[in-house]
Amino acid sequence: MTDSLPVVDVRGLHVRFGEVEAVAGVDLQAYAGQATALLGRNGAGKSTTMRVLAGVVPPTAGRAIVAGHDVHTETLRVKQLVGYCPDVGGLVPRATPWEHLQLSARLRRMDHWEDRARDLLERFELGDVAHRVTAGFSHGMGRRLSVVLAALHEPRVLLLDEPFDGVDPIGVEATFDVIADARSHGACVLVSTHLRELAIEACTTILVLRGGSRVATMAAAEMAGEEGARAYRGLLD
Amino acid sequence: MPTAVSSTSPNSALRAVADVGHLMRFRAGTVRRRGRLPLTVALFVAITAAVAVGPALVEGAGGEGRGLDVLVLLPTALAGFTALTVLSAVASGGGRELIPHEQAWAFPVSPTTDHLGALLLAPLNISWLLQAWTLLGATAYAVGPDRLPEAQVIVVLWVMASTAGAQVLAWSIEGVRRVPHGIVGVRLLTVVVLGLALGLQMANYLVVLLDQIPTRLLVVAMVDGMSLRWAATVAVVAISIVVSVVLGAVPAHIASRRVPRDQVEIESGGHEARPDPRSPLLGLIRTDRASVWRSVPMRRGLVVLAVGPGLVALLGDLPWNSLTILPGLVASGGALLFGVNAWCLEGRGSLWRESLPVEPTLVFAARAWVLAEFLLAASGVTVALGSVRAGVPNAPELTALLCTVVVVTVQVVAAGMRWSGQRPFAADLRAARSTPAPPVVMVGYSSRLAISTTVTGLVFSGVARLPDWQVSILIAVPFVAWSSVRLLRARAVWIDPVERARITTTVAV
């Protein structure tokens, strides 16, 4: 894979919600300048793993290190280094896209963020609705804005949970560009998705989760085509 | 939002009634602490029986003295109940929903079902319950034990008729609000009605008018006992219930076919960019304020809460020492608009907000501050309106009122933030009918808030009569200290990462 140290290093991660074990011993490593896809069925633990890496959900057991910081003990530092696009919604319904960007920039102590924000909004074709509350947005518009918010501060670790869900081809291309930009800047990108073909196109490595655990790690190219689809199908059962 | 084909035919009406049953069962199945339900129902029945019978057994009940005084006021109380139900149903855009619209839109829930559901849920409202119990109790005391059953039958029927009639009016007004310029029209109508009431009061004609109020016929029938007049009255009120329940489906269908303009205006309107906030805390406060003031149910609810009690005080010419009751009432109502489930403000955006690099203490401080200023704004308007005719207060009265405002605000913020952490719910608070928690839970919250803030208001009402203004401050200190401790406990829950994750992931669903 790579000889360098992983930017995201997860070992024996467990997350429990009461009786339910959402993540049951996941191990994963992701590297700078690489994009890693998390694939798996519903309930495989992809989104929960992403939430742990974003500092939103604390791990029940195990260790998750992001850019050298433990998410459990240095949560705030991790949040400064991570850009996170959640799987559901991800937007404050009665705030405008610009207000979202403004808050994110203020809490990250960013200066001169406006030009990059405008550029991202234009690339995702959201410039015209920058000052409209997001409650009236379509699902796809919401997804696109969530990617913009995750990418605004050029994070060391970019976490995109279902970024392609319900997004039109223009939005998908813009998301590909964001992933490529992040990689070129040396960021580590993690993409959780159900869309295998898009994951192969956007990412270098594929991790397959099942029942809260990792069952396979392979190069994206190995997942391509009919044979890759069969292999993936076999990993899901 | 109801999506079924609009129809009020007998077949679809029967289906709508059956659907109410299905939805009620579904709703009951989602109650988290179902074990408590029988106890709650038993408590409700016991209280109702006690207030409906107890006062009739008190000495002087049904007599010529105070019993007669209460009897004379009964027609106004009956009309007051009607006014309250109308206000409640109109303000909430047609009453409570059996199932939130964002969950119901994929199902064929007809407007008739929605209408019947709103009627069934109307009593799950503490102000409705308190008023109804007050009516039952006052009637029992006024008529005494001899004619009690006959009188209470009329009261119960009147309560039902008022609720059903209010629902018809609420759907009709909601229908009007949804036509072009309808919102302006409804606001103008409200101003005219309020102006008229104020004018009548200023001209000392309101009492004369209340003496002629048609509800006195109900009281006459109660006093008559079992008689032809009583039977005719019962029949007329019963028929009016049936007519209102059936008739309500028509404006409900009409309103459901129209777009809610206030919600659309807010969600499609632009908000110019403002300069960057000067600090992270101010940034969080600004976002939270936007979530509150751009929400239709919160704006509408706040206006009703702030102006309603203020106008009552204005019309009733309340003295300063009685105004201390109002801030608690208003603060409790304000908390029920979002404060009892304060973390739902961001809705699905809470996962993103939680991923931002900010101390959880700052997030908590911003939310508590915005809730407090929301409650203070409402209390301020109420007190300002009530003070118009109350003259110049003396130092003890003014201090007592200011202390009440501070104490009930801290009390309610502490309670709201505590409950928000203990029992979070996913709620979008977009439509006028949205509530931050399920109806049964809201009854519990409103009862507890009403008790604590009313007691506080009564304490300071008594203190306002004392000669020393310092007494209010001395009494306020322990109140504020105790509520501050509870607020800090709620903050401790929020700071805990596991608890915060539970809250965040629950409201983000």
Side-chain angles (χ1 to χ4, degrees):
Chain A
M1 214 66 68
T2 173
D3 293 333
S4 60
L5 287 171
V7 176
V8 171
D9 190 5
V10 176
R11 310 262 174 188
L13 181 70
H14 288 259
V15 181
R16 252 176 242 112
F17 300 111
E19 299 295 308
V20 179
E21 186 153 45
V23 177
V26 161
D27 292 304
L28 80 86
Q29 286 74 43
Y31 297 86
Q34 304 287 315
T36 305
L38 298 184
L39 296 185
R41 296 178 62 180
N42 302 122
K46 305 186 297 293
S47 293
T48 308
T49 303
M50 296 288 249
R51 288 176 187 185
V52 170
L53 296 175
V56 175
V57 170
T60 309
R63 225 159 69 106
I65 305 294
V66 174
H69 302 278
D70 190 324
V71 292
H72 195 52
T73 55
E74 300 171 89
T75 315
L76 206 58
R77 184 72 189 122
V78 167
K79 287 178 179 180
Q80 281 163 350
L81 299 169
V82 164
Y84 173 51
C85 158
D87 59 328
V88 284
L91 303 175
V92 179
R94 287 175 289 281
T96 67
W98 194 257
E99 287 165 346
H100 281 82
L101 291 160
Q102 207 169 26
L103 180 66
S104 178
R106 188 69 191 82
L107 296 180
R108 292 194 158 92
R109 314 295 193 274
M110 291 170 69
D111 294 319
H112 315 299
W113 55 274
E114 292 88 346
D115 286 345
R116 176 164 169 78
R118 281 191 200 96
D119 175 54
L120 280 169
L121 288 173
E122 290 303 329
R123 280 159 63 182
F124 280 82
E125 300 201 330
L126 293 166
D128 293 343
V129 294
H131 302 294
R132 242 178 65 187
V133 298
T134 62
F137 280 18
S138 68
H139 176 69
M141 287 166 80
R143 290 283 75 203
R144 283 185 274 149
L145 179 57
S146 284
V147 175
V148 169
L149 292 170
L152 173 71
H153 53 293
E154 296 183 299
R156 291 269 306 277
V157 178
L158 181 61
L159 304 171
L160 303 177
D161 198 353
E162 299 294 353
F164 309 116
D165 181 33
V167 174
D168 60 31
I170 307 287
V172 170
E173 275 180 30
T175 306
F176 281 168
D177 289 345
V178 162
I179 294 171
D181 282 354
R183 287 182 60 194
S184 69
H185 286 109
C188 167
V189 183
L190 278 168
V191 182
S192 164
T193 180
H194 288 287
L195 304 167
R196 186 182 56 89
E197 294 297 337
L198 293 180
I200 292 163
E201 208 171 329
C203 299
T204 46
T205 309
I206 306 279
L207 278 172
V208 181
L209 301 185
R210 189 177 69 202
S213 312
R214 186 184 63 170
V215 290
T217 306
M218 59 186 77
E222 294 176 51
M223 276 276 185
E226 286 296 315
E227 203 170 321
R230 270 197 298 277
Y232 178 49
R233 185 73 184 78
L235 289 168
L236 295 181
D237 290 330
Chain B
M1 183 72 67
T3 53
V5 176
S6 296
S7 171
T8 49
S9 66
N11 278 345
S12 63
L14 286 174
R15 186 173 161 169
V17 172
D19 286 349
V20 171
H22 299 315
L23 290 175
M24 285 290 278
R25 279 190 289 278
F26 176 76
R27 191 74 174 185
T30 62
V31 173
R32 289 184 194 170
R33 297 174 186 174
R34 293 178 71 180
R36 287 188 182 182
L37 212 55
L39 185 70
T40 309
V41 172
L43 189 68
F44 169 78
V45 172
I47 293 173
T48 306
V51 296
V53 178
L57 308 175
V58 173
E59 194 180 331
E64 295 295 316
R66 294 179 76 178
L68 185 62
D69 292 345
V70 176
L71 191 71
V72 169
L73 289 174
L74 261 188
T76 307
L78 289 163
F81 181 84
T82 308
L84 176 98
T85 49
V86 168
L87 191 69
S88 175
V90 171
S92 59
R96 296 262 168 85
E97 294 166 308
L98 260 180
I99 184 166
H101 77 281
E102 71 270 17
Q103 293 167 17
W105 70 268
F107 301 101
V109 178
S110 82
T112 308
T113 304
D114 199 21
H115 162 63
L116 296 175
L119 274 176
L120 280 176
L121 295 183
L124 295 182
N125 174 334
I126 191 65
S127 60
W128 189 99
L129 283 173
L130 284 177
Q131 294 276 342
W133 284 335
T134 307
L135 268 184
L136 288 169
T139 304
Y141 186 71
V143 301
D146 295 342
R147 287 157 295 178
L148 186 64
E150 294 92 327
Q152 297 297 33
V153 165
I154 289 180
V155 172
V156 170
L157 287 175
W158 180 251
V159 163
M160 291 167 70
S162 295
T163 308
Q167 198 66 32
V168 179
L169 201 60
W171 287 126
S172 305
I173 289 178
E174 196 55 30
V176 173
R177 286 180 70 91
R178 295 180 181 195
V179 299
H181 312 296
I183 295 172
V184 176
V186 171
R187 284 178 186 163
L188 277 174
L189 181 70
T190 310
V191 170
V192 167
V193 170
L194 292 177
L196 202 65
L198 203 60
L200 287 168
Q201 170 68 0
M202 300 299 267
N204 291 323
Y205 196 67
L206 199 59
V207 176
V208 179
L209 203 72
L210 287 174
D211 284 343
Q212 305 300 317
I213 205 159
T215 44
R216 68 195 156 84
L217 298 174
L218 299 172
V219 179
V220 171
M222 290 179 200
V223 174
D224 265 12
M226 194 59 78
S227 64
L228 192 60
R229 184 199 294 270
W230 179 86
T233 305
V234 166
V236 168
V237 180
I239 290 167
S240 80
I241 295 170
V242 176
V243 169
S244 296
V245 169
V246 174
L247 202 63
V250 177
H253 275 262
I254 293 170
S256 75
R257 285 195 291 267
R258 295 175 181 164
V259 178
R261 286 173 184 271
D262 39 10
Q263 187 183 335
V264 170
E265 271 175 26
I266 286 177
E267 292 181 0
S268 60
H271 299 276
E272 282 304 310
R274 294 166 62 193
D276 281 355
R278 288 197 302 277
S279 71
L281 178 64
L282 291 177
L284 291 166
I285 288 176
R286 186 189 285 183
T287 308
D288 287 354
R289 276 185 190 146
S291 293
V292 171
W293 296 103
R294 291 175 190 165
S295 161
V296 171
M298 282 184 246
R299 282 157 67 137
R300 220 191 262 194
L302 190 76
V303 169
V304 172
L305 270 172
V307 176
L311 283 172
V312 170
L314 190 62
L315 292 170
D317 202 5
L318 286 190
W320 280 100
N321 54 35
S322 297
L323 284 180
T324 55
I325 302 295
L326 299 183
L329 180 73
V330 175
S332 303
L336 294 171
L337 293 173
F338 84 95
V340 294
N341 186 21
W343 300 117
C344 79
L345 265 195
E346 295 104 345
R348 294 180 169 183
S350 57
L351 285 177
W352 169 74
R353 203 262 302 121
E354 184 53 27
S355 75
L356 295 173
V358 60
E359 292 285 355
T361 49
L362 220 54
V363 176
F364 186 90
R367 191 59 48 92
W369 175 262
V370 169
L371 175 56
E373 69 179 16
F374 182 72
L375 304 180
L376 284 171
S379 298
V381 172
T382 305
V383 170
L385 280 171
S387 67
V388 170
R389 296 179 67 198
V392 179
N394 58 34
E397 287 171 341
L398 187 62
T399 318
L401 186 63
L402 290 174
C403 286
T404 310
V405 170
V406 172
V407 168
V408 295
T409 303
V410 181
Q411 264 182 340
V412 172
V413 169
M417 296 307 287
R418 195 170 75 251
W419 294 331
S420 301
Q422 282 172 348
R423 301 180 74 185
F425 296 95
D428 72 357
L429 301 179
R430 285 171 71 183
R433 301 173 68 194
S434 306
T435 53
V440 176
V441 179
M442 292 294 283
V443 175
Y445 287 157
S446 53
S447 316
R448 291 157 76 179
L449 285 173
I451 290 167
S452 63
T453 57
T454 305
V455 168
T456 306
L458 288 172
V459 167
F460 283 100
S461 177
V463 174
R465 292 175 170 85
L466 299 177
D468 294 327
W469 61 269
Q470 294 95 332
V471 179
S472 293
I473 295 173
L474 282 174
I475 291 177
V477 169
F479 270 107
V480 171
W482 174 238
S483 295
S484 301
V485 168
R486 303 185 100 180
L487 191 59
L488 287 172
R489 282 188 197 150
R491 181 174 169 270
V493 169
W494 174 252
I495 291 170
D496 180 68
V498 176
E499 286 296 301
R500 196 167 64 254
R502 174 183 62 82
I503 297 164
T504 305
T505 50
T506 303
V507 299
V509 172

